[in-house]
Amino acid sequence: MTNIKDVAERAGVSVATVSRVLNGRSPVAETRERVLAAVRELGYRPNNVARALRTARTGALGLIISDLTNPFFTELADAVEDAARSLGYSLVIGNAGERPDQQDDYIRTLLDRRIDGLLVSSAGTGSAMLSEAVASGTPLVLLDRTVPGIDAPCVRADGHGALTDLAAHLAALGRRRPAIIVAPGGTPTGDERLELFRTALAAHGIALPDERVGATLDLQHTGGRRVMSDLLDLPEPPDAVLATDNLMALGAMDELRARGLRVPDDVALVVYDDVPWFRHTDPPLTAIAQPTRDLGRAAVHTLLECVEGRRPDSVLLPARLVPRRSCGESRAAD
């Protein structure tokens, strides 16, 4: 990683001179131009966050959300903002749109804004600027999604108990051919939910073979509908489907309706991530609810511990199964 000494050597000046130029205090135009040319050639970016931490805090926190069009992440961002504001901090939000390059742009912008700390619900499996933020010493906490290779505490929900309960729930209702719509292999959240669900079903003698695992890079309505179509075209289509994202579940519902199939008479449908209107659909959707407001509060408190120079542990909060009527339940339990 390029540092200020590299710039000084390239420009043929002292480190102090580079610092003066970057702070707008160079009296000689020729020197200024030489330093700025070296900055451009080397791709050097001053570490504004580190400088801010050495001097004074800004009272601002940064939040990168993987996709603000997803209702779960919208509520999560709102929870983080409420928690930050209650503690006297302002919040600057960037929407990655599930694109690592867009995530990099926002991380770069937030670091240049001299935020006191950064929360990241990462797009994909991380990005170059996320690694750079950690390397630079920026106080950072991962939110909802772990990222391989990133050494930072993570605040997220634990789906183990809820998926165990779901497997027992489906077994009790006589659903023996479950399927899952999930993010593609290699994404920690998708891999974890798949393996937890598969293990929980096995305890009831129910298999989840690979042909009933549908993966999509498009974690949206369109991806959910496309995967549901593939699952329904199987020689033995599923009698229950778990969509591991609320937008994918909506796409799955559309495909079922387009084929004249009914929930739950033909196919049971469960969605991971509850949103308020799921209780008002026809039928009301059985869901796994994450403690969104609690996650937001815990994330802010964990980040502020990092800002204070401590090394907090990761936080796991339990998700819960909310049975309604989309699996053939006799009555809603919500």
Side-chain angles (χ1 to χ4, degrees), residues 71 75 246 249-250 253 257 269-271 273-290 292-293 320-326 329 331-334:
E75 184 180 2
N246 53 67
L250 296 178
M253 289 177 67
R257 288 169 179 161
L269 183 62
V270 183
V271 55
D273 287 343
D274 197 17
V275 294
W277 60 79
F278 282 165
R279 72 187 63 185
H280 304 298
T281 59
D282 184 21
L285 287 177
T286 293
I288 290 177
Q290 301 197 71
T292 314
R293 309 303 301 186
R320 64 186 179 94
L321 177 66
V322 183
R324 293 191 179 106
R325 291 201 298 275
S326 63
E329 299 90 340
R331 63 184 181 85
D334 185 24

Side-chain angles (χ1 to χ4, degrees), residues 124-125 146-148 186-193:
T125 55
T146 59
V147 178
T187 55
T189 300
D191 288 351
E192 179 182 72
R193 290 176 184 176

